[in-house]
Amino acid sequence: MPLIGRNKELDRILSVIRGPKDTALAVIGRRGTGKSALLSEIPTLSDYRTVFMAATAAESEWPLSGLTALLNDMDDPVLNRIADELLRDTAGAMSVPAVSSMLLNGLHQRSSSRTIIVIDDADQMDPSSQAVIGFMARRLTGTDIVLVVGVREDFPESPFNGLSALSLGPLSYSNTVRMLESIPVKRTTTAAAHAVAAATGGNPLAAVELYEGLMERHAEGKYALPVPLPSKGSFDAEYASAVGALTPGARSVLDLLALSYRSDISTIENIDRDVWTSVDELLAAGLVKRSGPHMGIGDQLLRGYVFAAMTPAVRTANHRALAEAATDTDPYARRWHLSFTALERQTPFQLLRHAVDLIRGGEVPFAVEYIERALTINPWEAETAARLTSVAELLFNRGEFVYARRYLEWAQRTTRNPALILRLTGLSFEIQFAQGAAVRSSMVLRLVKEFGQHDPAYSASLLAIGALYYAERWELQEASDLLRQGGAFRGSASAQCLGIADRAKLLIESISGDTANLGRKYEGAGTARIAGLLMHGRSLTYAEHYENAHEAFALLQGSAEPGHINWQETAAFMAVDNEIRAGNVRSAIRLIDELELSDPELKYHRGTRLLFRVWRAHSLGDDAQARAVAAEALRYAGADSHAAITAQLAACQGLFALLRGDLAESVAQLSRAAEIGMRFGNPTLLRCEADLVEVLIRLGRHHEATQALLRLESRSVGLRSPWLMMVVARSRAMLADGEQSLQLFSQALEGRNGHTLERARTLMCYAERLHAFGRLRDARDALLRAKVMFDEAGADAWTQHVDALLLDERMEPVRPQGNPAMLLLADHERALAKMVARGMRNKEIAATLYVSVRTVEVRLTAIYRKLGVESRAQLTALAAGKGTTAAEPYVLPVL
């Protein structure tokens, strides 16, 4: 099984191994945290010789047994002699200080190269070996040894206390799920992996043991999750010790609490009048948690252990007693406990009704136990499917996609009701919409065509939400088709559904570049208001009203209604894109970081999240991370046929390849993005064509650049986009010839469209053109102004590039000319003459000045005439001047 979720820890260990010092590192991890698995990876991290030793507690009574085993494993002639002396010392005459001194001398005398020593469970060795190795660990300088010791706890009196330490924390929830899903089993369920991840708190060993037990049940045909989850294996001794220390009264209360996710204290008080004394004991021991009038066992593995420790007769008696005691205090608990003692047909349906109330109250883990218990009792009845449909819809609206999918799939296997089939299949589509997966519009239309008449109101709602999904993927024809089909159900549609459809139509118009109806506001209520606000903000983003869009998204994210979680999460993603499009790099990075903290599991809009990760890594100059994430994003986009994500990824990579000077990579990526982007119509969506024009110019492919600009201008007709006006003006200036290009750059910079990043990029290109014409001081001033703007936007990658150009001596003010004859030339003619003097050919000069080779020839002819020279050799000698120092060949700064 691969090691998952420990990349930071491996990086820390690798930095110690590759560091210049001979040092020791203590890896501290309690039982089950994956310490041994982490240490076993160390031999694969480097090419250095690695000695791996796993200590055993069976030899802990034998003095120096651990040390002799280590020396034998190292197999060094000098150390072998020390091991022999230790074995001959049967009387125990050699003290720990003497052995420590002898070992340290031996390590300095050995002739081996750098060696990595790994000792797992070093605290299980005999005390004398621990003392010697602990002494050695602090005196490794000059031994060419790196020592890594694994211990379970770091006690103050431990010989390894005080070493540089790496403490292993629990795995994250998402990494625990990933680890479990990587286990090869015949058949698995995502819900089981998530239930185990929630119950085990990130302990890898506990998670694996519990998960494998659930898979065994699943293989036996027991599909419902057991309640509570069974605890067995490596941690029973710890739980037995904790429970064994309790008084009989506290143990009895703990048994009662183990029978339910939570219990009302007044219910238990009806059984045990001295409950509060026991409660105080349990709280002091940290075995239970209290919330208002309710109490429960926090550690679900402990709960499973306590539950399993009771005999069936005791469990049944306790269930019966709690059911009777809860009659007046907790009707939910009464029905729960009766399900274990009395067989009534209505019990599973009542449990499902209670689960609906619990979900609405935000108690999803509690509700899941009620659902799983109901499925254990009566899993395949038609009424169960109907109630599971309502449960799945509620869970989806709260963002609980895993359990929503589990119960909708369970209901699908049970029902033959066409109305339920419509709702369940539609809900499956909605989950995929929210996750960013690919759903063909033909599948949605086919579903509605076949089953829509059985629930026309739901059909109208599904078509409206589907239209939003396809619009956001820039698949506008598909979105329009769904809205058109939704017209057939308009008479049955609710006011909320009609409002969502209206906003979807507005979004389609905005993405197409039509913002005429953007001023219309929709004053709906409930879900329609939230969805309308979201789509209105998104439309404002596409219309480049970024401040207004920011306000809309902030207002939506401030909503406290839990049923709107999916819309709020989507707003968080749209807010990021809004800042990126506005050129607010710093703000966009901050919002992406907040997304990663709040939901790192790729639950929502996976393709968009991966794209954001690539963009963030590039913006911070982390090209290695960007490449790694881009490979994952490309696999996802390709597998799901997501043209918009594929194009945006290519556009992003092409832009930053241009920035770092990889023109071949840049033109390949931008050409791909532009080709895909032709199907989207509106060129402001991808924003890659101006970048393509720039990279073609830098490659000297002026004809292709001209054609690309003409295509961009033809597709821009009728679009009122300040951003588009800026980049088209910049592209025209870059393609222009001579002094005209400087005029066009000045005109491009006259507008105040508020897009700081694009204005700074235009200034940078202007600085390059000024430099090409020999106006180095003006070029430097323009670069400084561009840097200020990049700093304002938080565009670190761009700022670093400007700094590199400013530090380059080619951007220093021009030195006085050595030959007075050169003063006869204009600034741009003098710059051209210096290029000739540096040995540049006409084609290279043309690419540098953004002009044709013919233009260079004409200008050189004029220069020859002014200076009275007849060849390039004479011009070179004249331009060099007497006593001038040889300059470095001029190279066009590459973005």
Side-chain angles (χ1 to χ4, degrees), residues 682-728:
N682 186 351
T684 66
L685 298 177
L686 270 183
R687 299 188 167 188
C688 67
E689 290 170 85
D691 296 332
L692 178 60
V693 172
E694 181 174 339
V695 73
L696 288 171
I697 294 172
R698 293 180 181 280
L699 288 169
R701 294 156 60 174
H702 294 85
H703 177 72
E704 294 176 64
T706 302
Q707 294 299 315
L709 179 56
L710 289 175
R711 283 196 303 271
L712 175 59
E713 290 178 323
S714 65
R715 298 176 66 214
S716 304
V717 175
L719 298 178
R720 293 180 292 178
S721 165
W723 173 86
L724 195 55
M725 293 173 60
M726 168 65 78
V727 299
V728 168

Side-chain angles (χ1 to χ4, degrees), residues 385-461:
R387 296 186 185 279
L388 280 179
T389 302
S390 299
V391 165
E393 289 173 339
L394 281 173
L395 288 168
F396 167 71
N397 289 332
R398 286 187 166 271
E400 298 287 344
F401 297 163
V402 171
Y403 288 111
R405 184 176 292 282
R406 171 174 172 79
Y407 300 132
L408 78 84
E409 289 176 350
W410 194 300
Q412 282 177 325
R413 294 194 297 268
T414 306
T415 187
R416 296 295 181 269
N417 185 320
L420 285 184
I421 292 174
L422 170 67
R423 288 173 59 190
L424 291 168
T425 309
L427 179 58
S428 178
F429 288 157
E430 289 188 61
I431 293 174
Q432 293 179 72
F433 293 163
Q435 292 178 325
V439 180
R440 294 196 301 273
S441 61
S442 60
M443 296 171 63
V444 180
L445 291 172
R446 180 180 176 183
L447 173 69
V448 172
K449 182 178 180 181
E450 187 171 351
F451 296 99
Q453 71 274 16
H454 297 286
D455 192 341
Y458 178 78
S459 298
S461 176

